[in-house]
Amino acid sequence: MKEEIQKSQHYEIKIIDMGEGGEGIGKINDFTVFIPDVLLGDRVEVCLTKVKKSYGFGKMVRLIEPSPYRQEGKCVQEKECGGCQFQSLNYCKQLEWKRKKVENCLTRIGKIENVTVAPTLGMEEPYHYRNKAQYPIRMVDGKVEIGFFAPKSRRVIPVTDCCIQHPINSQIIQRVKDFLTQYEISIYNDESHRGLVRHLMIKTGYKAQDVMVCLVINGKHMPHSEALVESLKELPEIKSIVLNHHTDKTPVILGKDCTVLYGHESITEQIGDLKFKVSPLAFFQVNPTQTEVLYQKALDFAELTEDEIVWDAYCGIGTISLFLAQKAKKVYGVEIIPEAIENAKENAKLNGLTNTEFYAGKAEEIIPELYKKGVVADTIVVDPPRKGCDEKLLETLKVMAPQKIVYVSCDPATLARDLAYLTKEAGYSVEEVQPVDMFPHSAHIETIVKLSK
Ligand code: SAH
């Protein structure tokens, strides 16, 4: 007789996989159980908290046998801030899991046959890699605290030293906290929407080690700002101190306007031989080391010979476009956010690249329009958001029929869906699939794929 699976009962489960959010996945016969705070390879005693027809949720009550892939996490606050789900999983295993995840999506969702997914390109030193941090500032038990929100809450967990952020951040946090406390500056409260200081954002240009400090305030002026500047200036890396004015009652972190308190209005980051202006509001990839690896792959996969016309769809501030422009005849970039297109144009100028043209608008509208007007492409690079490419864009790719398509994806499931269309409906074959680890210790995976006609 089949055992009936019941809520509140205890089961011994081996963790055989991990899900999107890093939760462990195990089985009781055919019944799938999702369990937070466990690792691939653990054998655990689980109490079921929710039971559905074919799956359920549980929590670990005892670690029976730890996974052989467990390692001492570097983070003292693991789990508290809700980030870095894989801290205690051996880095090699993280990379292998990411490769396997991409392979599973391509074969199961995309039904792509005979596909080889290359080993994930990881970091030599997978710590202190992020160039941007946004820390909420709130009063906790009568004290100013700067840190991260606890999962599903607005309570701030203080952060002193985060092992994926730049090491200078902890010194900046301390100085900002001292300043706010000493001068009794009012701190933002989510419920009343009162109080001045909301967030601390720190951006770093890794090549030059230039740092920008930005305080997000619920108002126009910051009292005693000269004292803050004096204190922060003592750290020679700090090249820019900015106020961001954000008076709306929304969980969005940044407002639209900034005032410079000290130094420059932006800092510069270098990826390969190219320089990019990083302003407080502009988007930039958060892992500069791996961004270079990813863009170099995009360039390799595009196999440019200096005669090609290239489209970069979903181009952001034109980073991939400019990388390609070093080798192509002409690069057209298209991006939905007009400010990003302005940045892209500035960045082209900054690097003396004159063979680029940028358009603000939806890729699925601009590319078909220009195609009708006679603009064709030898190669198209797409780097869409998580939801993948719009169907209209894929249909245009089919009729435009560029020789090569390079697909950069941050979600293997939508990548698989789009590759299914491109291979089965549009006559492309998948030549190479390369995962790149942009976010060590998280479940996120970046993949780059080369397709040809
Ligand atoms: N290639 C860039 C950015 C990739 S992120 C880089 O490497 O930095 C995806 C980008 O797609 C975002 O900048 C987002 O604003 C943009 N986007 C989202 N929907 C879009 C659409 N329908 N058409 C064009 N761009 C879009």
Side-chain angles (χ1 to χ4, degrees), residues 159-177:
V159 166
T160 45
D161 188 14
C162 169
C163 66
I164 62 168
Q165 299 289 355
H166 195 285
I168 198 172
N169 289 21
S170 44
Q171 292 180 62
I172 296 171
I173 289 175
Q174 193 54 52
R175 280 167 191 257
V176 172
K177 208 187 220 176

Side-chain angles (χ1 to χ4, degrees), residues 283-285 294-295 312-320 334-337 340 361-364 383-385 387 390:
F283 167 84
F284 199 75
Q285 295 279 358
L294 181 73
Y295 290 178
D312 178 16
Y314 310 91
C315 72
I317 57 166
T319 34
I320 296 181
V334 57
E335 156 66 44
I336 201 164
I337 299 175
K362 290 185 180 168
E364 60 272 22
D383 183 6
K387 66 174 188 221
D390 191 276

